[in-house]
Every structure is written in structure tokens, then in C-alpha cells.
Amino acid sequence: QLDMGGRGWRVPVMVGAGVAAAGLALWSLNRIRQGRLPLKWEEVGTVEALIMYPVKSGGGYTVPWGLVTSYGLEVDSVVDRSFVVMLMEAAKPTHVTNGMAPMLCTIIPTVKNNVLTLTPLQGDPMHVDIKRPLKGEPAKFIVKGDPVSGWDMGDEVAQWLSELLYRDSESKPKVRLMYVGSKPEELGRPAKKPAIFQFPQFKKDDSIIYHDAAAFLLTTTSSLDDLNGRLSSPVTMRQLRPNIVVKGRPAWEEDEWAYVRIGDAVQLRTLKPRDACIRVNVDPTSGKRQPEVLDTLKKFRVLPMPEVLHKAWSQKPLFGLHMAMDVRGKISVGDKVFAVRRKPDWLL
């Protein structure tokens, strides 16, 4: 067997046994999907933190509880990644990431009483009334290569963002803050299934707003501790940008979690491992880049097979799980977490 980063990602190398095990595991997966086999739940820890990122690539803030919905974590009637900053000067308007404008992740967006407050590292915050009437038709633009729509939140916040994000640039590119609105089901889109590999855990009704791939990202404190033990400058969990942080099991054990239940009812389904990009290098407390983070993950968090994924993950190593909602409900910090410890399909 090949072992990657401690527990998890153990890949059979004996061909005959591997094929037989793959067939049995795939048969079991299909039976579980059809409801013919019970899921064996095991307690794996507690919720250590819940983090909201109302603005895509913006900063995150912790919350004591949230509502798990099909589009992501919802707090104060706003769903995670409901806002996105758009660069309007391109031939096709596209979203701004903290890789393009590192200061974006230093802006902390919070929502209370239908007001979005954007708090920078320095200077006065910007307040945006998100309940004001949304006039006209939503604008069309591109997020992660997909056509999407959203409501323009006005000139004042657009000018504020342009000055802040490009303060060191002689030219100030024009940006706009877009909002999906209070009904994400009207403007949302399907979860983004990778083109290079058919992860079978995706379902047709898995949905996202302006997320990269999935409505939820789950990580564990022990995996961050292991990563930090390999770095010269430790990072915080907000730099890895999860929504749900679990405490209680050894590092990287989450690799084997096919389903997660939080509390008595809420259930999430693993879609695929989260492949990290250069955005995890940006320190949300300063906007400075730390190339060591991604470079270190590349040394020990790349699955050796299947080959097509190995090539992709050699540039985008793994940290956390992209997940979708199966059962809706409220979750809180301190809730018990349970998992089904079954090998996901992509390990076969």
C-alpha cells in the first residue's frame, strides 16, 4: 500500500485484490445510495468552529451557529459566498480572487439586520443595505468559467473596493460588488464537477452560488496542526478557508469520511477532496503571500493514483473535503460530529 500524509489515502497496489475490492466497494456504494444498506455512523469529534465568507475571496468571520442549506452555510438570512467582486474591464467581466488582489481577503464582511459591513485592515468600514429594492434585471458575468448572474450593489461600494484593492496601483481597475439576492435558488448554479474525473458522489441537485466547486468545505484542526508543524511560519484556519472545522481525530483522517452527520440530523456528503490553489498562500491578516504553504502541501498531500488526478493534484494538493447537503438543519459550535468511514470512490 501507498500511504499519504499519515492516515487515509491508502491505495492498493496488488492488481487482482485491488480489482476485487473495487468491485465490492462500488457495489456497496450503489446499495447505500439505493437505501438498501444502513450507514454505520462513528463519532469522530465536535464542531470546533463555523466560518462564514459572505464575499467570495473576502475575509471570513466565525459564528456560533448557522443553517446548513443546499447552497451553503446561512447566517442572518445570507448564504456563504452570496457576494462576489467583479472586474469589469475585461472583455468578459470575471470575478476577482485574492490571488489577483490579495487585499480582498483582508476585508472582513459581516451581515446583520440586512446590512453588509465591509471592514478593512485600516480605515472606515463600508455599509451596504442589501434589502433595498433590486431594480432591473440581474447582470450577467463569469465565475470559474460558468455564466452566472447577480445584482449590482451600487457605485459607492464599487469605488470603495477599487481604491482599497488597488491602492498601490497607478490605475484603479473598475470593479463591482454583485449579490445573488435573497433567493439563491433563482440565480444559483449546479455544484462544479471536475471535467478530468467523474466523481460519482455528485448529484444533479447539488447547488452552489459563487463558490468554486461545492457548497461546503470541511477541515480538521489536527490536519492544520500537522501542516503547521511543517511550516516555518504557522497559518490560521481562515487562510485555508473552510466553513466547518472539526476537532477530535488524528490528522488527515477526514480523507476517509464519505458522509458526515452533525448533531442529531444534519447530514453532509463528500463530493471530492478539496484541491488547494495559490489562494491558500495569502495571509488574511496582512494580504501578504506565503508560497511556503502550497509548496509544503505539494510535498506530502498528493495522491499517487488515479494518474489523471495525480497530475492535477501535483499542482493543487489536498486539504479538506468539498461537501454537499443531504439533510438540512441548524448546526452549532460544540455539536458532536459523526462520520461514515467508507472508502470514497476516487480511491478505487
Side-chain angles (χ1 to χ4, degrees), residues 223-282:
S223 294
L224 178 65
D225 290 343
D226 184 71
L227 171 62
N228 277 334
R230 304 166 189 258
L231 299 175
S232 60
S233 298
V235 300
T236 66
M237 191 64 88
R238 283 201 299 131
Q239 189 158 331
L240 281 302
R241 307 184 64 78
N243 303 112
I244 302 171
V245 182
V246 177
K247 179 180 182 179
R249 302 299 296 182
W252 316 116
E253 188 177 284
E254 65 272 19
D255 291 340
E256 299 179 358
W257 299 351
Y259 295 90
V260 167
R261 192 179 80 226
I262 301 175
D264 296 328
V266 173
Q267 186 172 314
L268 300 170
R269 168 175 27 92
T270 297
L271 300 181
K272 67 180 188 68
R274 180 277 197 94
D275 46 338
C277 66
I278 59 171
R279 282 173 281 177
V280 302
N281 285 338
V282 183

Short mmCIF file of all heavy atoms in Angstrom, two decimals, residues 223-282:
data_model
loop_
_atom_site.label_atom_id
_atom_site.label_comp_id
_atom_site.label_asym_id
_atom_site.label_seq_id
_atom_site.Cartn_x
_atom_site.Cartn_y
_atom_site.Cartn_z
N SER A 223 -5.31 18.32 11.17
CA SER A 223 -4.64 18.42 9.88
C SER A 223 -3.93 19.76 9.75
O SER A 223 -2.82 19.84 9.20
CB SER A 223 -5.65 18.23 8.73
OG SER A 223 -6.16 16.90 8.75
N LEU A 224 -4.56 20.83 10.24
CA LEU A 224 -3.89 22.12 10.24
C LEU A 224 -2.65 22.09 11.14
O LEU A 224 -1.60 22.62 10.78
CB LEU A 224 -4.83 23.23 10.71
CG LEU A 224 -4.21 24.62 10.78
CD1 LEU A 224 -3.81 25.11 9.39
CD2 LEU A 224 -5.15 25.61 11.45
N ASP A 225 -2.77 21.44 12.28
CA ASP A 225 -1.62 21.32 13.19
C ASP A 225 -0.47 20.59 12.50
O ASP A 225 0.70 20.97 12.65
CB ASP A 225 -2.02 20.59 14.47
CG ASP A 225 -2.95 21.40 15.36
OD1 ASP A 225 -3.03 22.62 15.17
OD2 ASP A 225 -3.60 20.80 16.24
N ASP A 226 -0.80 19.53 11.76
CA ASP A 226 0.24 18.78 11.06
C ASP A 226 0.91 19.64 10.00
O ASP A 226 2.14 19.63 9.86
CB ASP A 226 -0.35 17.53 10.43
CG ASP A 226 0.71 16.66 9.78
OD1 ASP A 226 1.50 16.03 10.49
OD2 ASP A 226 0.76 16.62 8.52
N LEU A 227 0.10 20.39 9.24
CA LEU A 227 0.66 21.29 8.24
C LEU A 227 1.55 22.34 8.90
O LEU A 227 2.68 22.60 8.44
CB LEU A 227 -0.45 21.96 7.44
CG LEU A 227 -0.03 23.09 6.50
CD1 LEU A 227 0.92 22.58 5.42
CD2 LEU A 227 -1.25 23.76 5.87
N ASN A 228 1.06 22.95 9.98
CA ASN A 228 1.83 23.99 10.65
C ASN A 228 3.15 23.47 11.20
O ASN A 228 4.14 24.21 11.29
CB ASN A 228 1.01 24.62 11.77
CG ASN A 228 0.08 25.70 11.25
OD1 ASN A 228 0.33 26.32 10.22
ND2 ASN A 228 -1.03 25.92 11.96
N GLY A 229 3.17 22.17 11.57
CA GLY A 229 4.41 21.58 12.06
C GLY A 229 5.47 21.46 10.98
O GLY A 229 6.65 21.25 11.29
N ARG A 230 5.06 21.64 9.73
CA ARG A 230 5.99 21.56 8.60
C ARG A 230 6.35 22.93 8.03
O ARG A 230 7.15 23.03 7.11
CB ARG A 230 5.37 20.70 7.48
CG ARG A 230 4.96 19.29 7.93
CD ARG A 230 4.06 18.64 6.89
NE ARG A 230 3.47 17.40 7.36
CZ ARG A 230 3.88 16.17 7.03
NH1 ARG A 230 4.92 16.04 6.21
NH2 ARG A 230 3.28 15.11 7.49
N LEU A 231 5.71 23.98 8.55
CA LEU A 231 5.92 25.34 8.05
C LEU A 231 6.83 26.13 8.98
O LEU A 231 6.81 25.94 10.19
CB LEU A 231 4.58 26.08 7.94
CG LEU A 231 3.53 25.50 7.00
CD1 LEU A 231 2.23 26.30 7.10
CD2 LEU A 231 4.02 25.49 5.55
N SER A 232 7.58 27.05 8.42
CA SER A 232 8.40 27.93 9.25
C SER A 232 7.54 29.02 9.90
O SER A 232 7.87 29.51 10.98
CB SER A 232 9.51 28.56 8.41
OG SER A 232 8.97 29.34 7.35
N SER A 233 6.44 29.39 9.22
CA SER A 233 5.51 30.39 9.76
C SER A 233 4.12 29.79 9.78
O SER A 233 3.49 29.68 8.71
CB SER A 233 5.54 31.67 8.92
OG SER A 233 6.81 32.27 8.93
N PRO A 234 3.60 29.39 10.93
CA PRO A 234 2.28 28.76 11.01
C PRO A 234 1.18 29.68 10.47
O PRO A 234 1.30 30.90 10.49
CB PRO A 234 2.10 28.50 12.51
CG PRO A 234 3.48 28.47 13.06
CD PRO A 234 4.26 29.46 12.25
N VAL A 235 0.11 29.07 9.99
CA VAL A 235 -1.03 29.80 9.45
C VAL A 235 -2.27 29.50 10.28
O VAL A 235 -2.32 28.52 11.02
CB VAL A 235 -1.29 29.44 7.97
CG1 VAL A 235 -0.08 29.76 7.12
CG2 VAL A 235 -1.66 27.95 7.82
N THR A 236 -3.27 30.35 10.15
CA THR A 236 -4.55 30.12 10.83
C THR A 236 -5.49 29.38 9.89
O THR A 236 -5.28 29.34 8.68
CB THR A 236 -5.20 31.44 11.26
OG1 THR A 236 -5.56 32.19 10.08
CG2 THR A 236 -4.24 32.27 12.11
N MET A 237 -6.57 28.84 10.46
CA MET A 237 -7.52 28.11 9.65
C MET A 237 -8.21 29.00 8.63
O MET A 237 -8.58 28.55 7.54
CB MET A 237 -8.55 27.43 10.55
CG MET A 237 -9.43 26.42 9.83
SD MET A 237 -8.50 25.00 9.18
CE MET A 237 -8.53 23.90 10.60
N ARG A 238 -8.36 30.28 8.94
CA ARG A 238 -9.03 31.18 7.99
C ARG A 238 -8.26 31.28 6.68
O ARG A 238 -8.85 31.59 5.64
CB ARG A 238 -9.21 32.57 8.60
CG ARG A 238 -10.35 32.65 9.59
CD ARG A 238 -10.83 34.07 9.79
NE ARG A 238 -9.79 34.94 10.33
CZ ARG A 238 -9.49 36.14 9.82
NH1 ARG A 238 -10.12 36.60 8.77
NH2 ARG A 238 -8.55 36.88 10.37
N GLN A 239 -6.96 31.02 6.71
CA GLN A 239 -6.18 31.06 5.47
C GLN A 239 -6.52 29.89 4.56
O GLN A 239 -6.39 29.99 3.34
CB GLN A 239 -4.68 31.07 5.79
CG GLN A 239 -3.79 31.34 4.58
CD GLN A 239 -2.43 31.87 4.97
OE1 GLN A 239 -2.28 32.53 6.00
NE2 GLN A 239 -1.42 31.59 4.18
N LEU A 240 -6.99 28.78 5.15
CA LEU A 240 -7.41 27.61 4.36
C LEU A 240 -8.87 27.69 3.95
O LEU A 240 -9.34 26.88 3.16
CB LEU A 240 -7.13 26.33 5.14
CG LEU A 240 -5.69 25.80 5.15
CD1 LEU A 240 -5.19 25.53 3.74
CD2 LEU A 240 -4.73 26.73 5.89
N ARG A 241 -9.66 28.59 4.56
CA ARG A 241 -10.99 28.99 4.13
C ARG A 241 -12.08 27.92 4.22
O ARG A 241 -12.93 27.80 3.34
CB ARG A 241 -10.95 29.56 2.71
CG ARG A 241 -9.92 30.68 2.56
CD ARG A 241 -9.93 31.30 1.19
NE ARG A 241 -11.19 31.96 0.92
CZ ARG A 241 -11.54 33.15 1.39
NH1 ARG A 241 -10.72 33.82 2.19
NH2 ARG A 241 -12.69 33.69 1.09
N PRO A 242 -12.13 27.14 5.31
CA PRO A 242 -13.24 26.19 5.47
C PRO A 242 -14.47 26.86 6.07
O PRO A 242 -14.38 27.94 6.67
CB PRO A 242 -12.67 25.17 6.45
CG PRO A 242 -11.80 26.01 7.35
CD PRO A 242 -11.17 27.03 6.42
N ASN A 243 -15.62 26.20 5.94
CA ASN A 243 -16.83 26.61 6.65
C ASN A 243 -16.97 25.88 7.98
O ASN A 243 -17.41 26.45 8.97
CB ASN A 243 -18.08 26.31 5.83
CG ASN A 243 -18.06 26.97 4.48
OD1 ASN A 243 -17.97 26.29 3.47
ND2 ASN A 243 -18.13 28.29 4.45
N ILE A 244 -16.62 24.59 7.97
CA ILE A 244 -16.82 23.73 9.13
C ILE A 244 -15.48 23.15 9.55
O ILE A 244 -14.78 22.53 8.74
CB ILE A 244 -17.82 22.60 8.82
CG1 ILE A 244 -19.16 23.18 8.36
CG2 ILE A 244 -18.01 21.68 10.03
CD1 ILE A 244 -20.12 22.14 7.81
N VAL A 245 -15.12 23.37 10.81
CA VAL A 245 -13.86 22.86 11.35
C VAL A 245 -14.19 21.86 12.44
O VAL A 245 -14.93 22.16 13.38
CB VAL A 245 -13.00 24.00 11.92
CG1 VAL A 245 -11.66 23.45 12.42
CG2 VAL A 245 -12.78 25.08 10.87
N VAL A 246 -13.62 20.66 12.33
CA VAL A 246 -13.89 19.57 13.27
C VAL A 246 -12.64 19.28 14.09
O VAL A 246 -11.52 19.28 13.56
CB VAL A 246 -14.34 18.30 12.51
CG1 VAL A 246 -14.54 17.13 13.49
CG2 VAL A 246 -15.62 18.56 11.73
N LYS A 247 -12.86 19.02 15.37
CA LYS A 247 -11.76 18.69 16.28
C LYS A 247 -12.03 17.33 16.91
O LYS A 247 -13.16 17.03 17.26
CB LYS A 247 -11.65 19.75 17.37
CG LYS A 247 -10.54 19.50 18.39
CD LYS A 247 -10.50 20.60 19.43
CE LYS A 247 -9.38 20.39 20.44
NZ LYS A 247 -9.31 21.48 21.45
N GLY A 248 -10.96 16.50 17.01
CA GLY A 248 -11.15 15.27 17.76
C GLY A 248 -10.51 14.02 17.19
O GLY A 248 -10.48 12.99 17.86
N ARG A 249 -10.00 14.07 15.95
CA ARG A 249 -9.41 12.87 15.37
C ARG A 249 -8.01 13.19 14.84
O ARG A 249 -7.64 14.35 14.67
CB ARG A 249 -10.28 12.35 14.22
CG ARG A 249 -11.69 12.01 14.63
CD ARG A 249 -11.77 10.92 15.67
NE ARG A 249 -11.25 9.65 15.19
CZ ARG A 249 -11.25 8.53 15.90
NH1 ARG A 249 -11.71 8.55 17.15
NH2 ARG A 249 -10.78 7.42 15.41
N PRO A 250 -7.20 12.16 14.56
CA PRO A 250 -5.85 12.39 14.04
C PRO A 250 -5.86 13.10 12.68
O PRO A 250 -6.85 13.09 11.97
CB PRO A 250 -5.27 10.97 13.92
CG PRO A 250 -6.07 10.15 14.88
CD PRO A 250 -7.45 10.73 14.85
N ALA A 251 -4.73 13.69 12.37
CA ALA A 251 -4.60 14.44 11.12
C ALA A 251 -4.90 13.56 9.91
O ALA A 251 -4.51 12.39 9.86
CB ALA A 251 -3.18 15.00 11.01
N TRP A 252 -5.63 14.14 8.97
CA TRP A 252 -5.94 13.58 7.65
C TRP A 252 -6.91 12.41 7.70
O TRP A 252 -7.21 11.82 6.67
CB TRP A 252 -4.66 13.18 6.91
CG TRP A 252 -3.59 14.22 7.01
CD1 TRP A 252 -2.38 14.08 7.61
CD2 TRP A 252 -3.65 15.57 6.54
NE1 TRP A 252 -1.67 15.26 7.55
CE2 TRP A 252 -2.43 16.20 6.89
CE3 TRP A 252 -4.61 16.33 5.85
CZ2 TRP A 252 -2.15 17.53 6.58
CZ3 TRP A 252 -4.33 17.65 5.55
CH2 TRP A 252 -3.12 18.23 5.90
N GLU A 253 -7.43 12.08 8.87
CA GLU A 253 -8.41 11.01 8.94
C GLU A 253 -9.68 11.36 8.18
O GLU A 253 -10.41 10.48 7.72
CB GLU A 253 -8.75 10.68 10.40
CG GLU A 253 -9.61 9.44 10.56
CD GLU A 253 -9.88 9.10 12.00
OE1 GLU A 253 -8.97 8.57 12.67
OE2 GLU A 253 -11.01 9.37 12.46
N GLU A 254 -9.95 12.66 8.03
CA GLU A 254 -11.14 13.09 7.31
C GLU A 254 -11.14 12.62 5.86
O GLU A 254 -12.19 12.60 5.20
CB GLU A 254 -11.30 14.61 7.37
CG GLU A 254 -10.22 15.41 6.67
CD GLU A 254 -9.02 15.72 7.55
OE1 GLU A 254 -8.84 15.03 8.58
OE2 GLU A 254 -8.26 16.64 7.20
N ASP A 255 -9.98 12.26 5.33
CA ASP A 255 -9.90 11.75 3.96
C ASP A 255 -10.86 10.58 3.73
O ASP A 255 -11.35 10.36 2.62
CB ASP A 255 -8.48 11.26 3.64
CG ASP A 255 -7.48 12.40 3.54
OD1 ASP A 255 -7.88 13.56 3.33
OD2 ASP A 255 -6.28 12.12 3.67
N GLU A 256 -11.12 9.82 4.78
CA GLU A 256 -11.92 8.60 4.66
C GLU A 256 -13.40 8.83 4.98
O GLU A 256 -14.18 7.89 4.97
CB GLU A 256 -11.35 7.52 5.57
CG GLU A 256 -9.93 7.12 5.24
CD GLU A 256 -9.38 6.05 6.17
OE1 GLU A 256 -10.10 5.64 7.11
OE2 GLU A 256 -8.23 5.63 5.97
N TRP A 257 -13.80 10.06 5.27
CA TRP A 257 -15.19 10.32 5.63
C TRP A 257 -16.03 10.50 4.37
O TRP A 257 -15.91 11.48 3.66
CB TRP A 257 -15.30 11.57 6.50
CG TRP A 257 -14.56 11.47 7.80
CD1 TRP A 257 -13.97 10.35 8.35
CD2 TRP A 257 -14.30 12.53 8.73
NE1 TRP A 257 -13.38 10.64 9.54
CE2 TRP A 257 -13.57 11.97 9.81
CE3 TRP A 257 -14.63 13.88 8.75
CZ2 TRP A 257 -13.14 12.74 10.89
CZ3 TRP A 257 -14.22 14.64 9.84
CH2 TRP A 257 -13.49 14.07 10.90
N ALA A 258 -16.89 9.56 4.12
CA ALA A 258 -17.77 9.63 2.94
C ALA A 258 -19.02 10.45 3.23
O ALA A 258 -19.55 11.13 2.35
CB ALA A 258 -18.16 8.23 2.48
N TYR A 259 -19.52 10.35 4.47
CA TYR A 259 -20.67 11.13 4.91
C TYR A 259 -20.35 11.68 6.30
O TYR A 259 -19.63 11.05 7.07
CB TYR A 259 -21.94 10.27 5.02
CG TYR A 259 -22.43 9.73 3.71
CD1 TYR A 259 -21.99 8.48 3.25
CD2 TYR A 259 -23.36 10.43 2.94
CE1 TYR A 259 -22.44 7.97 2.06
CE2 TYR A 259 -23.82 9.91 1.74
CZ TYR A 259 -23.35 8.69 1.30
OH TYR A 259 -23.80 8.18 0.11
N VAL A 260 -20.90 12.84 6.60
CA VAL A 260 -20.72 13.45 7.91
C VAL A 260 -22.09 13.87 8.44
O VAL A 260 -22.89 14.46 7.71
CB VAL A 260 -19.79 14.68 7.84
CG1 VAL A 260 -19.85 15.49 9.12
CG2 VAL A 260 -18.35 14.25 7.58
N ARG A 261 -22.36 13.54 9.71
CA ARG A 261 -23.57 13.99 10.38
C ARG A 261 -23.18 14.90 11.53
O ARG A 261 -22.27 14.57 12.30
CB ARG A 261 -24.39 12.81 10.90
CG ARG A 261 -25.80 13.22 11.36
CD ARG A 261 -26.59 12.03 11.86
NE ARG A 261 -26.23 11.68 13.22
CZ ARG A 261 -25.99 10.45 13.66
NH1 ARG A 261 -26.07 9.43 12.82
NH2 ARG A 261 -25.67 10.22 14.91
N ILE A 262 -23.85 16.02 11.65
CA ILE A 262 -23.56 16.97 12.71
C ILE A 262 -24.80 17.09 13.59
O ILE A 262 -25.89 17.41 13.09
CB ILE A 262 -23.16 18.34 12.15
CG1 ILE A 262 -21.92 18.19 11.25
CG2 ILE A 262 -22.89 19.33 13.27
CD1 ILE A 262 -21.50 19.46 10.56
N GLY A 263 -24.63 16.82 14.88
CA GLY A 263 -25.77 16.82 15.77
C GLY A 263 -26.67 15.62 15.50
O GLY A 263 -26.20 14.54 15.14
N ASP A 264 -27.96 15.82 15.65
CA ASP A 264 -28.91 14.71 15.52
C ASP A 264 -29.42 14.49 14.11
O ASP A 264 -29.96 13.42 13.80
CB ASP A 264 -30.11 14.94 16.44
CG ASP A 264 -29.71 14.93 17.91
OD1 ASP A 264 -28.77 14.20 18.25
OD2 ASP A 264 -30.34 15.68 18.69
N ALA A 265 -29.28 15.49 13.23
CA ALA A 265 -29.97 15.36 11.95
C ALA A 265 -29.16 15.79 10.74
O ALA A 265 -29.17 15.11 9.71
CB ALA A 265 -31.28 16.16 12.00
N VAL A 266 -28.46 16.92 10.81
CA VAL A 266 -27.82 17.49 9.62
C VAL A 266 -26.82 16.51 9.02
O VAL A 266 -25.98 15.96 9.73
CB VAL A 266 -27.12 18.82 9.96
CG1 VAL A 266 -26.30 19.32 8.78
CG2 VAL A 266 -28.15 19.86 10.37
N GLN A 267 -26.92 16.31 7.72
CA GLN A 267 -26.04 15.35 7.07
C GLN A 267 -25.43 15.95 5.81
O GLN A 267 -26.11 16.59 5.01
CB GLN A 267 -26.81 14.07 6.69
CG GLN A 267 -25.92 12.96 6.14
CD GLN A 267 -26.68 11.67 5.97
OE1 GLN A 267 -27.41 11.24 6.87
NE2 GLN A 267 -26.53 11.03 4.83
N LEU A 268 -24.12 15.74 5.67
CA LEU A 268 -23.37 16.20 4.51
C LEU A 268 -22.76 15.00 3.79
O LEU A 268 -22.47 13.98 4.41
CB LEU A 268 -22.25 17.16 4.93
CG LEU A 268 -22.68 18.43 5.65
CD1 LEU A 268 -21.46 19.15 6.23
CD2 LEU A 268 -23.44 19.36 4.73
N ARG A 269 -22.56 15.15 2.49
CA ARG A 269 -21.99 14.09 1.65
C ARG A 269 -20.71 14.61 1.00
O ARG A 269 -20.69 15.69 0.41
CB ARG A 269 -23.02 13.70 0.59
CG ARG A 269 -22.52 12.81 -0.53
CD ARG A 269 -23.68 12.39 -1.46
NE ARG A 269 -24.75 13.36 -1.46
CZ ARG A 269 -24.84 14.37 -2.32
NH1 ARG A 269 -23.92 14.52 -3.26
NH2 ARG A 269 -25.86 15.23 -2.26
N THR A 270 -19.65 13.84 1.11
CA THR A 270 -18.39 14.23 0.48
C THR A 270 -18.51 14.10 -1.03
O THR A 270 -18.87 13.04 -1.55
CB THR A 270 -17.23 13.37 0.98
OG1 THR A 270 -17.06 13.57 2.38
CG2 THR A 270 -15.93 13.72 0.27
N LEU A 271 -18.19 15.18 -1.75
CA LEU A 271 -18.18 15.15 -3.21
C LEU A 271 -16.81 14.79 -3.75
O LEU A 271 -16.69 13.99 -4.66
CB LEU A 271 -18.60 16.52 -3.76
CG LEU A 271 -19.98 17.02 -3.36
CD1 LEU A 271 -20.26 18.37 -4.00
CD2 LEU A 271 -21.05 16.02 -3.76
N LYS A 272 -15.79 15.38 -3.15
CA LYS A 272 -14.42 15.14 -3.60
C LYS A 272 -13.46 15.78 -2.60
O LYS A 272 -13.87 16.60 -1.78
CB LYS A 272 -14.19 15.74 -5.00
CG LYS A 272 -14.23 17.26 -5.05
CD LYS A 272 -14.00 17.75 -6.45
CE LYS A 272 -13.85 19.27 -6.49
NZ LYS A 272 -12.61 19.73 -5.84
N PRO A 273 -12.18 15.45 -2.67
CA PRO A 273 -11.21 16.17 -1.85
C PRO A 273 -11.10 17.61 -2.35
O PRO A 273 -11.31 17.88 -3.53
CB PRO A 273 -9.89 15.42 -2.09
CG PRO A 273 -10.24 14.21 -2.86
CD PRO A 273 -11.56 14.42 -3.50
N ARG A 274 -10.78 18.52 -1.47
CA ARG A 274 -10.56 19.91 -1.88
C ARG A 274 -9.13 20.05 -2.39
O ARG A 274 -8.17 19.79 -1.67
CB ARG A 274 -10.80 20.83 -0.69
CG ARG A 274 -10.61 22.32 -0.97
CD ARG A 274 -9.16 22.81 -0.91
NE ARG A 274 -9.05 24.24 -0.80
CZ ARG A 274 -8.94 24.88 0.35
NH1 ARG A 274 -8.88 24.20 1.48
NH2 ARG A 274 -8.85 26.19 0.38
N ASP A 275 -8.97 20.44 -3.63
CA ASP A 275 -7.65 20.69 -4.20
C ASP A 275 -7.32 22.16 -4.04
O ASP A 275 -8.01 23.03 -4.56
CB ASP A 275 -7.58 20.25 -5.66
CG ASP A 275 -8.78 20.71 -6.47
OD1 ASP A 275 -9.84 20.98 -5.88
OD2 ASP A 275 -8.66 20.79 -7.71
N ALA A 276 -6.27 22.44 -3.28
CA ALA A 276 -5.93 23.81 -2.92
C ALA A 276 -5.14 24.50 -4.03
O ALA A 276 -4.34 23.86 -4.73
CB ALA A 276 -5.11 23.81 -1.62
N CYS A 277 -5.35 25.81 -4.17
CA CYS A 277 -4.65 26.58 -5.19
C CYS A 277 -3.83 27.68 -4.51
O CYS A 277 -3.71 27.72 -3.28
CB CYS A 277 -5.63 27.18 -6.19
SG CYS A 277 -6.72 28.41 -5.46
N ILE A 278 -3.28 28.59 -5.29
CA ILE A 278 -2.37 29.60 -4.76
C ILE A 278 -3.05 30.53 -3.77
O ILE A 278 -2.37 31.23 -3.01
CB ILE A 278 -1.74 30.44 -5.89
CG1 ILE A 278 -2.83 31.14 -6.71
CG2 ILE A 278 -0.86 29.58 -6.76
CD1 ILE A 278 -2.25 32.15 -7.69
N ARG A 279 -4.38 30.54 -3.73
CA ARG A 279 -5.07 31.44 -2.81
C ARG A 279 -4.82 31.08 -1.34
O ARG A 279 -4.96 31.93 -0.47
CB ARG A 279 -6.57 31.45 -3.12
CG ARG A 279 -6.90 32.31 -4.33
CD ARG A 279 -8.35 32.19 -4.73
NE ARG A 279 -8.60 30.97 -5.47
CZ ARG A 279 -9.81 30.60 -5.88
NH1 ARG A 279 -10.87 31.32 -5.57
NH2 ARG A 279 -9.96 29.50 -6.56
N VAL A 280 -4.45 29.81 -1.05
CA VAL A 280 -4.15 29.46 0.34
C VAL A 280 -2.83 30.06 0.80
O VAL A 280 -2.50 30.00 1.99
CB VAL A 280 -4.13 27.93 0.55
CG1 VAL A 280 -5.46 27.31 0.16
CG2 VAL A 280 -2.98 27.28 -0.22
N ASN A 281 -2.08 30.66 -0.14
CA ASN A 281 -0.82 31.30 0.23
C ASN A 281 -1.02 32.70 0.81
O ASN A 281 -0.07 33.28 1.35
CB ASN A 281 0.10 31.43 -1.01
CG ASN A 281 0.72 30.11 -1.41
OD1 ASN A 281 0.84 29.20 -0.61
ND2 ASN A 281 1.13 30.01 -2.67
N VAL A 282 -2.21 33.26 0.69
CA VAL A 282 -2.42 34.65 1.08
C VAL A 282 -2.86 34.73 2.53
O VAL A 282 -3.88 34.15 2.92
CB VAL A 282 -3.46 35.33 0.18
CG1 VAL A 282 -3.60 36.80 0.55
CG2 VAL A 282 -3.07 35.19 -1.30
#
